[in-house]
C-alpha cells in the first residue's frame, strides 16, 4: 500500500500533527516502522498556518480517508499513562466520537472487512518472527540511546521525532526547552571515549585438573616401574627376570661369590663359565622376541641339578615330538585307508543305488523310493518295509520320509562300517532331492 501524502504541504515538525498515520493490517509491505499518512480534512490548505482544532472526530478521519472502495474498521493508538500505548476500539457508527491522540498525532490501525487477509500458518510464523526481531531491535536501540550522550541543540533543531512502536517512557512532542550545555555534552563524550579505551579484563584462570583415581595412579606407577627395571632372559625358566634398577646401578647389591666348597657340593650358586654365551639383552620395542632353542648342549657349564633339569626337559620335548609325529602319520594312514575302501565300495555299490534311485535315467518320486527302501538298506538298519498303498496320503508320506531320514542321517552313521556309511549317504541325498520336488508340487496333490 503506497503512502498518500500532500505534495503542496510536506510533512515536517510543524505540520506533522495535521496528518493521520496508519497501516493496513495483514497486507504485505505494511508495518509499524513505515506507516502511511493522509491529511485530515480539518487542515486548512489555503494558508501556511494550521487551523486544525485540537479535537479530531471519527467522521473527520472517515471523510479524509483516501481509499473509497471497501469497508474498513479503524482502531486508534492511545497513551496508557506509563510511557507506553494501547490500541483503542471505537464505535464505527458514531462519527462524532473524539479520536484519541498519541504524542499530538493520530495513529490508526486499519482492517479491511470486505477482503480479510488470509493468514496461513507460514505467514503467522513469519509475522511472529518479525515481531520478535523488532522487539529485540527496539530493546537494543533503547539501551544504546540511554547510554549515549545527548547531542547539541543545533543538531536536533530540524529533525522530526522518529516513528516508534515502543515509545519513550516519557513522551513529549515538544522539544526540550533546556538542552544540556556544550561543555557538559563534550565531557560526556570524553568520558565515553575513555571507557572504550579501557583494556579488556583478563580471562579467568583455567580450572585445576581433576584428581586422579586410584586405578589411574596405579597404572602410572606401574608404567614408571616398567621403564626403570632391567630384565634378562632366563634360559632355564624360559622367562624374563628382573636383575636390577636402571636408576642407580652402583647402589644395587652384588651377588656373593660362591665358595669352592659350595661348587663341589653342587650348590646352585656356581660361578658362570667364561666360555658360555653372555645373557641375552632386553630387546627393543621395534625388535621381535625370538624363542631360544633348548638342547643337551645347553646343560654344558651348568651345575648338576640344573644340567639334570635341562636334560629331563630335552628328553620330554623329544618324546612329545616323536608322539606327535607318530599320531600324525597314523591319522594320515587311516585317512588313506578309508579313502581306498570308500572307492572300492563306490565301484561295487554304485549300480545298485542308481538302479534304486533312477528309472530310465529319470529320478524316481518320493513314494516310489520309500516303498522300495528296504532293498538298498543293510539288514541291521531296523527299517520296516512300507507298501505304496500305505503312503498314498501326503501326511503319511511325510511321516515315512522323516523316519527314513533319521535312519540314514550323517549324524546317526558314526559307528557304521564304510559300506553302510556309503549307502546311508547316497540314500539320504536321494530322499532329500525327492522330498524337495514333492513339496514343490504341493505334497503330491
Amino acid at each position: 500500500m503506497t503512502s498518500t501524502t500532500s505534495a503542496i504541504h510536506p510533512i515536517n515538525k510543524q505540520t506533522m500533527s495535521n496528518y493521520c498515520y496508519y497501516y493496513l493490517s495483514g497486507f504485505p509491505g505494511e508495518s509499524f516502522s513505515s506507516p502511511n499518512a493522509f491529511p485530515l480534512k480539518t487542515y486548512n490548505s489555503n494558508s501556511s498556518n494550521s487551523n486544525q482544532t485540537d479535537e479530531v472526530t471519527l467522521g473527520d478521519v472517515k471523510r479524509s480517508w483516501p481509499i473509497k472502495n471497501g469497508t474498513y474498521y479503524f482502531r486508534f493508538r492511545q497513551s496508557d499513562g506509563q510511557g507506553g500505548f494501547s490500541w483503542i476500539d471505537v464505535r464505527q457508527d458514531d462519527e462524532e466520537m473524539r479520536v484519541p491522540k498519541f504524542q499530538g498525532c493520530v495513529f490508526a490501525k486499519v482492517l479491511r472487512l470486505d477482503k480479510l487477509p488470509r493468514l496461513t500458518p507460514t505467514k503467522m510464523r513469519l509475522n511472529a518472527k518479525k515481531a520478535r526481531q523488532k522487539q529485540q531491535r527496539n530493546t537494543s536501540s533503547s539501551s544504546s540511546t540511554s547510554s549515549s550522550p545527548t547531542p547539541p541543540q543545533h543538531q536536533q533543531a530540524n529533525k522530526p521525532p522518529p516513528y516508534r512502536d515502543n515509545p519513550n517512557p516519557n513522551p513529549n512532542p515538544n522539544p526540550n526547552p533546556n538542552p544540556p550545555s556544550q561543555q557538559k555534552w563534550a565531557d560526556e563524550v570524553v568520558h565515553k571515549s575513555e571507557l572504550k579505551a579501557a583494556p579488556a579484563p583478563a580471562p579467568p584462570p583455567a580450572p585445576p585438573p581433576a584428581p586422579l583415581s586410584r586405578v589411574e595412579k596405579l597404572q602410572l606407577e606401574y608404567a614408571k616401574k616398567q621403564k626403570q627395571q632391567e630384565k634378562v632372559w632366563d634360559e632355564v625358566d624360559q622367562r624374563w627376570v628382573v636383575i636390577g634398577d636402571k636408576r642407580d646401578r652402583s647402589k644395587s647389591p652384588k651377588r656373593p661369590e660362591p665358595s669352592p666348597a659350595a661348587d663341589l657340593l653342587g650348590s646352585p650358586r656356581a660361578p658362570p663359565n667364561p666360555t658360555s654365551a653372555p645373557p641375552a639383552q632386553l630387546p627393543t620395542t621395534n625388535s621381535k622376541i625370538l624363542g631360544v632353542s633348548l638342547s643337551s648342549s645347553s646343560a654344558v657349564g651348568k651345575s648338576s641339578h640344573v644340567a639334570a633339569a635341562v636334560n629331563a626337559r630335552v628328553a620330554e620335548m623329544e618324546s612329545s615330538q616323536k608322539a606327535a609325529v607318530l599320531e600324525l602319520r597314523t591319522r594320515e594312514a587311516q585317512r588313506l585307508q578309508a579313502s581306498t575302501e570308500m572307492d572300492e565300495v563306490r565301484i561295487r555299490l554304485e549300480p545298485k543305488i542308481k538302479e534304486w534311485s533312477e528309472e530310465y535315467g529319470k529320478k524316481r518320486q518320493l513314494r516310489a523310493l520309500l516303498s522300495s527302501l528296504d532293498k538298498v538298506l543293510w539288514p541291521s538298519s531296523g527299517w520296516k518295509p512300507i507298501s505304496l498303498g500305505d503312503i498314498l496320503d501326503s501326511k503319511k508320506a511325510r511321516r515315512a520320509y522323516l523316519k527314513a531320514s533319521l535312519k540314514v542321517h550323517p549324524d546317526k552313521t558314526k559307528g557304521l562300517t564304510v559300506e553302510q556309511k556309503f549307502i546311508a549317504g547316497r540314500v539320504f541325498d536321494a530322499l532329500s532331492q525327492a522330498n524337495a520336488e514333492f513339496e514343490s508340487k504341493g505334497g503330491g496333490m
Side-chain angles (χ1 to χ4, degrees), residues 231-235 238-241 279-281 289-292:
K231 300 179 181 180
V232 295
W233 179 257
D234 191 350
E235 297 180 357
Q238 298 294 311
R239 64 186 181 89
W240 292 101
V241 181
Q281 298 296 329
I289 299 177
L290 302 177
V292 180

Side-chain angles (χ1 to χ4, degrees), residues 132-403:
R132 289 193 299 270
Q133 294 176 354
K134 187 173 183 180
Q135 186 177 4
Q136 293 176 0
R137 290 196 300 268
N138 293 337
T139 305
S140 60
S141 61
S142 61
S143 60
S144 61
T145 304
S146 60
S147 60
S148 60
T150 304
Q153 180 66 19
H154 68 276
Q155 294 185 8
Q156 58 178 354
N158 298 325
K159 184 178 180 180
Y163 176 84
R164 295 177 182 172
D165 285 333
N166 187 12
N168 295 327
N170 187 16
N172 187 7
N174 298 326
N176 188 6
N178 299 320
S181 60
Q182 296 289 340
Q183 184 63 30
K184 183 178 179 180
W185 178 76
D187 294 341
E188 291 179 356
V189 172
V190 172
H191 178 65
K192 184 177 180 181
S193 62
E194 292 177 355
L195 291 178
K196 289 183 178 179
L212 298 177
S213 61
R214 184 174 180 273
V215 176
E216 295 175 346
K217 291 180 180 179
L218 292 176
Q219 292 177 351
L220 293 176
E221 184 178 357
Y222 179 75
K224 184 178 180 181
K225 286 184 179 180
Q226 288 291 104
K227 293 181 179 179
Q228 295 175 352
Q229 290 176 352
E230 185 177 3
K231 300 179 181 180
V232 295
W233 179 257
D234 191 350
E235 297 180 357
V236 178
D237 295 339
Q238 298 294 311
R239 64 186 181 89
W240 292 101
V241 181
V242 179
I243 62 173
D245 198 335
K246 294 181 181 179
R247 291 176 296 180
D248 192 358
R249 296 185 179 181
S250 60
K251 296 182 180 180
S252 59
K254 297 183 179 180
R255 297 182 180 179
E257 294 292 338
S259 60
D263 189 21
L264 293 176
L265 294 176
S267 173
R269 294 184 178 180
N273 190 2
T275 59
S276 61
Q281 298 296 329
L282 183 66
T284 60
T285 56
N286 296 330
S287 63
K288 297 182 180 179
I289 299 177
L290 302 177
V292 180
S293 61
L294 187 63
S295 61
S296 58
S297 61
S298 302
V300 178
K302 304 290 183 181
S303 58
S304 58
H305 76 282
V306 172
V310 171
N311 293 329
R313 177 61 179 165
V314 171
E316 181 182 358
M317 291 172 57
E318 291 178 354
S319 62
S320 299
Q321 292 175 359
K322 292 179 180 180
V325 172
L326 180 60
E327 182 182 359
L328 180 61
R329 291 176 178 176
T330 304
R331 191 184 304 114
E332 185 68 18
Q334 292 177 356
R335 187 185 65 80
L336 292 176
Q337 183 180 0
S339 177
T340 304
E341 293 179 356
M342 185 65 69
D343 293 340
E344 295 177 356
V345 170
R346 181 181 295 105
I347 295 173
R348 181 165 47 89
L349 296 179
E350 184 69 24
K352 182 180 179 181
I353 299 297
K354 190 173 182 180
E355 182 183 359
W356 166 77
S357 62
E358 296 181 4
E359 185 177 6
Y360 301 107
K362 186 178 180 181
K363 299 290 185 180
R364 302 180 68 180
Q365 295 182 358
L366 179 64
R367 291 187 177 93
L369 294 178
L370 292 175
S371 61
S372 60
L373 185 59
D374 57 308
K375 297 180 180 180
V376 294
L377 291 182
W378 56 96
S380 61
S381 63
W383 175 256
K384 297 180 180 180
I386 300 176
S387 64
L388 186 60
D390 295 338
I391 54 177
L392 290 178
D393 186 27
S394 300
K395 294 184 179 179
K396 292 182 180 180
R398 291 191 183 94
R399 192 180 298 111
Y401 165 73
L402 293 177
K403 290 182 180 180

Side-chain angles (χ1 to χ4, degrees), residues 109-121:
K109 181 192 295 185
V110 185
L111 177 64
R112 185 167 182 175
L113 299 179
D114 59 339
K115 189 178 179 182
L116 293 177
R118 181 185 177 186
L119 292 179
T120 61

Side-chain angles (χ1 to χ4, degrees), residues 392-434:
L392 290 178
D393 186 27
S394 300
K395 294 184 179 179
K396 292 182 180 180
R398 291 191 183 94
R399 192 180 298 111
Y401 165 73
L402 293 177
K403 290 182 180 180
S405 297
L406 291 177
K407 294 293 182 180
V408 296
H409 196 274
D411 295 340
K412 305 293 184 180
T413 61
K414 294 183 179 180
L416 301 180
T417 61
V418 177
E419 182 178 348
Q420 293 173 353
K421 288 182 179 180
F422 175 78
I423 295 174
R426 293 300 303 274
V427 169
F428 181 78
D429 294 341
L431 290 176
S432 300
Q433 295 177 7

